[in-house]
Amino acid sequence: MPLVALWAHGSLALGDYQPGRSDLDLVALVGTDLDGAQQAELRAVHERLIADVPLARSLHCTYVPQGDTSDTARHHPTWAQGEWFERPVSPVSRRELALGAVVLHGPPPVGLLPGVSDQELAEFIRAELEDYWLPVTGNAKAELWLQDIWVDLGMLTFARASVTLRDGQLITKGEALEELRSMGAPTAVVDDIRRRRYGADLLKNPSVSDDFRARRAEQARKFVRAGITTLLAEHGNPPPGPAHASRLTRRPPPPA
């Protein structure tokens, strides 16, 4: 399996990478389609990495065959969140790569991956908000928001989406926290997210009480739901079509 190029995007490309907290998002351009045996070998490599280096749990990589990049909807073999599956290289990922890919091997992605128009980016984000995030803010999914990951990604995803739909820009999670403050988001929730992502000591994040966790969950869920509803009304609905695979941020595991 010849490796043609290896690029980092996400927080590393946007200048917001936090060691031990951020994901390391990669796209590998490979010389040929990966057959079953090659995919099994790569999956074993990722599993060995995690066993040897715990931080490798945060390493995500999509493997794209060279010469097969024009079909932007095609799903490619991917390792992410401890699983092997297939997904496209999303419009957000391609825009991040175009803006500032960290080239780890081979040539840069310009000319090797298709570009992303502002319209394609906006349509992807609207679909992501409407098809995925709005449903999980409903009352039936309220218990999900007791978990840190749902509060963090729900709030940050909404803020980042708001800026992209308004200005056509991608912002970091750190910038999204400041955007949340300007939106009037609950201060205690924003401070809690900042502490977890940017606190001085990764190993000493204090636990929170059940009462605070319950209040935080309700505040975050209702804020994100109201914000997405308003945002979709202001920026219209995406055209009908299949839902896209997420890459606005890393999604939590799919809700049951």
Side-chain angles (χ1 to χ4, degrees), residues 38-67:
Q38 289 171 319
Q39 292 194 41
E41 181 181 355
L42 279 171
R43 178 173 183 168
V45 167
H46 282 284
E47 290 171 344
R48 288 197 300 270
L49 275 174
I50 290 173
D52 294 340
V53 184
L55 282 177
R57 293 183 181 277
S58 299
L59 189 154
H60 303 160
C61 189
T62 297
Y63 296 87
V64 180
Q66 188 177 28

Side-chain angles (χ1 to χ4, degrees), residues 77 112 151 182 215:
L112 294 174
V151 172
S182 71
R215 290 195 305 273

Side-chain angles (χ1 to χ4, degrees), residues 8-29:
H9 59 105
S11 58
L12 188 61
L14 296 175
D16 192 42
Y17 183 77
Q18 303 296 310
R21 308 185 195 202
S22 300
D23 294 328
L24 179 56
D25 297 308
L26 306 177
V27 172
L29 189 67

Side-chain angles (χ1 to χ4, degrees), residues 67-193:
D68 186 37
T69 59
S70 59
D71 182 2
T72 58
R74 178 171 174 178
H75 288 58
H76 302 291
T78 298
W79 177 267
Q81 300 178 38
E83 297 181 8
W84 186 262
F85 57 98
E86 293 192 350
R87 70 181 179 191
V89 181
S90 78
V92 173
S93 296
R94 287 187 281 121
R95 177 63 67 88
E96 288 174 351
L97 287 165
L99 287 174
V102 178
V103 179
L104 303 172
H105 176 77
V110 176
L112 294 174
L113 288 179
V116 183
S117 69
D118 289 345
Q119 179 179 350
E120 181 185 4
L121 185 63
E123 288 177 355
F124 171 82
I125 289 172
R126 287 196 301 263
E128 184 80 351
L129 293 175
E130 184 171 49
D131 298 341
Y132 183 84
W133 282 105
L134 190 59
V136 299
T137 62
N139 290 333
K141 302 296 182 182
E143 288 191 4
L144 293 174
W145 294 78
L146 294 169
Q147 302 173 49
D148 294 346
I149 190 171
W150 286 92
V151 172
D152 295 0
L153 294 186
M155 295 283 284
L156 294 172
T157 295
F158 163 61
R160 298 175 81 185
S162 298
V163 172
T164 304
L165 291 181
R166 183 186 71 214
D167 301 330
Q169 302 296 314
L170 297 183
I171 63 171
T172 67
K173 291 178 180 177
E175 291 167 332
L177 285 170
E178 296 309 310
E179 184 70 18
L180 285 169
R181 292 191 190 281
S182 71
M183 292 174 166
T187 300
V189 177
V190 176
D191 289 344
D192 184 60
I193 298 171

